Amino acid sequence: MPHTQTARLMDGTGLARKILDHSAAMATAITRQTGTPPCLATVLVGDDPASATYVRMKRARCEKAGIASRHLHLPATTTTAELVDAITSLSEDPEVHGILLQHPVGAHIDERAAFEAIAPHKDVDGVTMRSFAAMSFGLPGFVSCTPGGIMRLLDHYDVELAGKRAVVVGRSAILGKPAGMLLLARDATVTYCHSRTRDLESIVREADVLVAAVGRPGFIRGEDIKVGAVVIDAGYSPGNLGDVDFDGAVTRARLITPVPGGVGPMTIAMLLSQTADAAALQSGLAPAELVPPSSPE
Ligand code: NAP
């Protein structure tokens, strides 16, 4: 029997705006109490236009929220040692509260070594091994921004996770893997799928909560979405294309993120939110007490 149900859209743009407003209020409070605004250092290696655009967007959002940014643009010929040195200096600089290394960096650079030069208390993008471990053990620390944003969306829409079958398609260090760990921490039963997974479609069909993080437009077929599932499409390919066949999925899912306007805006919102938190903590202030808890959800 055909399904004519239409899923409710999960509005990442709207929720991100609330989180950004909250981050701006935090920045104002921190600036008032310490005399200096929170500061995010962005590091860009080389001249990839897409990476340059992402960094510009992040800095513009910072400025709008009253968060200062310091930009370090290094040439494409930068070596691993030079990049590690530059990031180590930022880690040691008391005027910098958060560090973002725009990735991917050039293939000749050891990206992991560069990430690990970020001090854990400044890892507002949640990319270090320490942050991943803390997140996996449920200890204090910063989460990887896109998975963190996904969890905020799920919570905002009151999605029950305990005991639910969650399927994450993709296992990258910044997206798929941490998304699965965060779902596991909320008592979902998590299955990871990847390029070597056999019979991926039948696993997808069992998902109460599906996170698509592959980077292949329309990779998840609408007909494979379980009726009533919650579908998070984290994929983004040029032309505003997600990983999920939206038109097919929307008639079967209960909740679904649009592309654009779903997961994407949440990523920057999480970056700013964690930068404000980092600045508060480094100034000896308690983030939760700085701004009244009326927002963001
Ligand atoms: P990635 O590092 O390329 O990882 C892609 C993952 O997909 C890998 O784990 C890979 O498996 C898996 N995969 C590739 N082909 C597959 C196939 N045929 N069947 C099953 N799995 C397959 O990408 P990423 O950085 O995680 O990003 C994924 C997508 O999310 C991209 O579209 C990216 O643009 C988007 N993204 C969006 C945001 C945002 O803010 N909205 C942030 C980050 C990323 P293997 O591990 O086996 O190779």
Side-chain angles (χ1 to χ4, degrees):
M1 212 167 77
H3 297 278
T4 51
Q5 169 196 349
T6 298
R8 184 175 171 207
L9 294 187
M10 299 172 88
D11 177 14
T13 305
L15 180 56
R17 197 176 304 122
K18 288 182 187 164
I19 295 171
L20 289 168
D21 286 348
H22 187 260
S23 304
M26 289 267 298
T28 303
I30 291 165
T31 307
R32 196 173 46 234
Q33 297 205 24
T34 67
T36 46
C39 175
L40 174 71
T42 54
V43 181
L44 176 66
V45 182
D47 298 301
D48 174 60
S51 292
T53 302
Y54 286 136
V55 171
R56 231 185 351 264
M57 273 167 51
K58 288 166 186 172
R59 298 187 70 211
R61 282 295 167 87
C62 280
E63 194 182 337
K64 223 171 146 191
I67 294 175
S69 66
R70 189 193 295 180
H71 185 52
L72 193 58
H73 187 182
L74 300 170
T77 51
T78 302
T79 64
T80 299
E82 288 166 342
L83 182 56
V84 165
D85 278 354
I87 295 174
T88 302
S89 296
L90 294 171
S91 288
E92 291 167 354
D93 186 337
E95 288 173 13
V96 169
H97 303 109
I99 300 171
L100 170 100
L101 170 62
Q102 185 63 41
H103 51 94
V105 290
H108 66 287
I109 291 176
D110 179 349
E111 187 173 88
R112 180 48 45 201
F115 280 149
E116 295 310 316
I118 299 173
H121 61 290
K122 298 189 181 185
D123 182 20
V124 293
D125 204 22
V127 294
T128 62
M129 291 194 282
R130 171 84 169 261
S131 295
F132 186 88
M135 179 201 69
S136 303
F137 289 134
L139 297 171
F142 295 115
V143 296
S144 186
C145 287
T146 306
I150 289 171
M151 298 309 289
R152 292 287 283 264
L153 264 175
L154 290 169
D155 285 342
H156 183 70
Y157 285 90
D158 291 325
V159 175
E160 174 66 46
L161 294 169
K164 295 293 158 84
R165 183 83 191 264
V167 173
V168 181
V169 188
R171 56 172 170 178
S172 71
I174 55 127
L175 180 42
K177 220 168 264 175
M181 295 310 287
L182 289 170
L183 290 162
L184 179 65
R186 299 286 297 276
D187 299 324
T189 301
V190 180
T191 304
Y192 286 100
C193 297
H194 47 78
S195 64
R196 306 290 293 273
T197 298
R198 289 192 198 149
D199 199 9
L200 185 144
E201 292 79 6
S202 70
I203 299 170
V204 167
R205 274 183 229 127
E206 290 178 7
D208 301 308
V209 176
L210 177 73
V211 177
V214 181
R216 290 178 173 228
F219 181 73
I220 305 289
R221 303 183 307 187
E223 67 210 67
D224 292 330
I225 299 298
K226 182 174 175 178
V227 173
V230 175
V231 177
I232 305 290
D233 189 350
Y236 183 82
S237 299
N240 284 335
L241 300 171
D243 285 346
V244 177
D245 161 26
F246 184 86
D247 291 344
V250 79
T251 62
R252 299 175 67 85
R254 177 169 71 85
L255 286 165
I256 188 168
T257 56
V259 178
V263 173
M266 295 297 294
T267 301
I268 290 191
M270 289 301 293
L271 176 71
L272 268 64
S273 169
Q274 297 200 122
T275 301
D277 284 353
L281 291 166
Q282 285 162 51
S283 308
L285 304 167
E289 289 164 20
L290 270 179
V291 177
S294 58
S295 52
E297 275 114 341

